[in-house]
Amino acid sequence: LALVFIWFGILKSFNISPANELVANTVYWFDPSWFVSLLGWWEVLIGICFLYKPLIRVGVFLLIPQMVGTFLPLIILPDVVFGPTLFSWTLEGQYIIKNFVLISAGIVIGSHVRD
């Protein structure tokens, strides 16, 4: 899980992620020249937190708003994420829906953290 967040975050931070345009179009009220990079570093931070056991709870906390944000295109850009039929997704939609796996992994990791 940490590797996925660090990897995807670095791609966004250096403006080489295929998701950068989707992010920019989704949160159009922010300037994408700084926001996409900020989001990328946020994801890197989540990944680093998952690597260091005392920071796992911080990582789960940081994961919550990040994941809420990843589902915004379902509401803001439905024509980009939904395919021609019910339950069919575009490539962008599949990219978003895979986040259910990341959320599930975060819940499992977070539930095993002991004081």
Side-chain angles (χ1 to χ4, degrees):
L1 187 61
L3 178 62
V4 169
F5 276 100
I6 292 169
W7 188 345
F8 283 23
I10 287 174
L11 291 175
K12 283 183 187 79
S13 298
F14 292 104
N15 200 30
I16 53 176
S17 171
N20 285 9
E21 184 179 349
L22 180 63
V23 172
N25 291 335
T26 300
V27 289
Y28 54 85
W29 53 89
F30 291 122
D31 181 359
S33 67
W34 63 265
F35 183 78
V36 175
S37 181
L38 175 71
L39 178 61
W41 290 117
W42 184 281
E43 291 177 0
V44 170
L45 183 60
I46 291 169
I48 290 169
C49 287
F50 281 132
L51 288 175
Y52 185 56
K53 191 171 183 172
L55 295 177
I56 289 177
R57 284 192 176 139
V58 173
V60 171
F61 177 76
L62 294 172
L63 179 71
I64 294 167
Q66 190 272 344
M67 279 296 143
V68 169
T70 63
F71 289 109
L72 283 177
L74 299 174
I75 298 165
I76 295 174
L77 301 170
D79 54 316
V80 173
V81 297
F82 292 104
T85 63
L86 188 64
F87 301 117
S88 69
W89 302 94
T90 64
L91 190 57
E92 292 87 350
Q94 292 175 36
Y95 183 80
I96 293 164
I97 293 304
K98 65 99 173 84
N99 289 323
F100 282 117
V101 174
L102 299 179
I103 291 168
S104 300
I107 290 170
V108 169
I109 290 169
S111 71
H112 285 84
V113 175
R114 303 288 183 243
D115 290 329

